[in-house]
Amino acid sequence: MAPKKRPGRTPAPTGRTSRPRQAEVARLAGVSQATVSLVLSPKPDGKGPLISEETRQRVLEAARSLGYVPDPAARRLAAARNNLLGVFSFTATFPTDVRHSYYPFLVGVECEAAALGYDLVLFTGSSSGGAGAAVPDALGRVRLADGCLFMGRHTPRAELKRLVEDGFPVVHLGRREELEGVAWVGADYVHATREVVGHLTQLGHRRIVLVREDDDAPASADRQHGFLEGLEVAGLPAGPAAVFRSGDPERDLTAERLRSWADEGVTAFVAEETDTGAAWRSLLSAVRGAGLDCPVDVSLALLGSPPSDLASEPVPTGFDIPRPELGAAAVRLLASLVAGEGEGAREPLVSCVFRPGPTTGPPPPARP
């Protein structure tokens, strides 16, 4: 008896020149990619989740209709697990300075990998041209490991998608919902930012500006989303004027601009943390250049931790990112994908911890 057609199934593509991938088989069969992998590449020992005969036949039918042929290299790797997890950093060299923002992530990664019985192999962008590499299969060398954890503010989407479509276990450290099929772990920047804004409004601030970098990284988008939500909850204006993109060549964050904001009634500024700390640095520079005192004239908050070279300055109000916990969560998720058990699963967002600091206080008295 022929298997029933599932609603929403699409006909097999015709006239294609590229090799069909497991992700396409999964979409056509209406199942997860992990199920396709288990049906087409069963474990030699017969272990693994039980799959119904109806589902198995549906996968086989979809594979036949697409002309799917397993990648022999991928099959050899899948059959020869070596207890290696890859960690790919989109930097020219791997961060080793304990003050680097990546270092605490790596501590969590290493500890959790050791606890689960995995060794680590480290990759960087140096031999593939960096994060923006356009070389075909620039990330192919990560297949030396059983699966790979990627970390970086910007990633080559096409390359990660290709790995996932080939059934290679991939986890991104940081939210990546826009990359279909890529598993990820992330911090709850939205709630943490909303909490910082709530702290400022409780102090009495009614005009607050967010300073962020001029790009569309998900971490920046999450912080902005939480910032605007916090303003709305407090009944404050949450339009475009409340967000300033630092780094825009046509809109530099100057002392004159900051003084103008203060004259217009802005009493608090919030900056996002990034790898470079550019937004926070430009904000501090502008405040000092304008001759304003923090927190007497203006309050300042940082959505994350300050750069290590500013460690001698007062630790600003903001929140701490649980980097070791995020690294450990990413390894747990990656290990479950390697074992064929984590498809569709995701570690819950890790909460950030509010950090009080001496850079915030009540707003100055209104000018007559």
Side-chain angles (χ1 to χ4, degrees):
M1 178 177 176
K4 297 179 181 179
K5 272 195 172 183
R6 288 170 60 93
R9 285 181 58 185
T10 57
T14 59
R16 65 180 296 149
T17 57
S18 59
R19 177 173 58 85
R21 302 180 184 279
Q22 281 193 1
E24 296 173 73
V25 176
R27 282 193 292 270
L28 186 60
V31 299
S32 71
Q33 191 169 321
T35 298
V36 172
S37 178
L38 289 169
V39 171
L40 301 180
S41 303
K43 295 185 177 182
D45 56 10
K47 294 182 179 179
L50 293 176
I51 298 175
S52 70
E53 182 61 22
E54 189 269 342
T55 298
R56 193 176 75 84
Q57 289 299 327
R58 195 163 66 245
V59 170
L60 293 175
E61 177 196 355
R64 281 193 297 268
S65 66
L66 288 170
Y68 173 81
V69 178
D71 181 349
R75 294 195 67 172
R76 285 195 299 271
L77 286 171
R81 298 298 183 202
N82 50 20
N83 281 355
L84 281 180
L85 297 182
V87 182
F88 194 107
S89 167
F90 293 99
T91 52
T93 59
F94 218 86
T96 56
D97 189 334
V98 296
R99 298 172 299 175
H100 195 285
S101 61
Y102 282 2
Y103 191 83
F105 288 126
L106 299 175
V107 171
V109 167
E110 183 175 9
C111 291
E112 191 67 19
L116 295 177
Y118 285 96
D119 290 322
L120 297 175
V121 55
L122 309 182
F123 303 94
T124 68
S126 57
S127 61
S128 61
V135 180
D137 204 24
L139 304 183
R141 58 204 169 98
V142 302
R143 296 175 188 266
L144 295 170
D146 298 334
C148 191
L149 165 65
F150 292 87
M151 53 194 301
R153 187 172 173 85
H154 302 286
T155 58
R157 300 182 179 186
E159 290 296 331
L160 282 185
K161 184 179 179 182
R162 184 175 295 113
L163 288 173
V164 171
E165 289 177 341
D166 282 343
F168 184 77
V170 167
V171 170
H172 191 276
L173 210 165
R175 183 177 70 81
R176 285 293 170 182
E177 287 179 335
E178 79 281 12
L179 297 180
E180 182 182 355
V182 175
W184 54 270
V185 298
D188 191 353
Y189 295 134
V190 174
H191 181 271
T193 301
R194 200 165 57 226
E195 190 173 7
V196 171
V197 174
H199 172 74
L200 290 170
T201 59
Q202 287 176 5
L203 289 172
H205 295 278
R206 292 297 175 264
R207 288 285 306 279
I208 308 170
V209 169
L210 168 67
V211 178
R212 55 164 290 184
E213 292 197 18
D214 189 31
D215 65 21
D216 295 312
S220 296
D222 283 351
R223 287 175 169 93
Q224 178 172 322
H225 181 62
F227 174 77
L228 295 177
E229 274 193 359
L231 293 182
E232 290 173 355
V233 167
L236 302 180
V243 178
F244 179 82
R245 284 181 174 247
S246 175
D248 184 338
E250 298 179 359
R251 301 200 315 158
D252 292 332
L253 182 54
T254 62
E256 292 73 19
R257 180 179 293 277
L258 198 127
R259 168 59 73 179
S260 175
W261 274 328
D263 291 341
E264 294 169 2
V266 176
T267 59
F269 295 88
V270 178
E272 70 162 333
E273 177 201 349
T274 61
D275 297 346
T276 64
W280 180 242
R281 294 178 195 278
S282 62
L283 178 58
L284 290 180
S285 176
V287 168
R288 290 163 181 164
L292 298 175
D293 181 88
C294 172
V296 176
D297 299 318
V298 292
S299 287
L300 304 179
L302 176 61
L303 306 178
S305 302
S308 58
D309 60 307
L310 299 181
S312 61
E313 300 198 10
V315 178
T317 299
F319 59 75
D320 293 317
I321 302 169
R323 288 178 167 86
E325 290 84 351
L326 280 166
V331 170
R332 287 194 297 271
L333 181 55
L334 182 58
S336 69
L337 290 173
V338 168
E341 301 167 351
E343 182 70 18
R346 179 169 63 81
E347 291 275 339
L349 288 173
V350 179
S351 298
C352 299
V353 180
F354 176 76
R355 180 186 64 236
T359 60
T360 55
R367 297 180 182 178

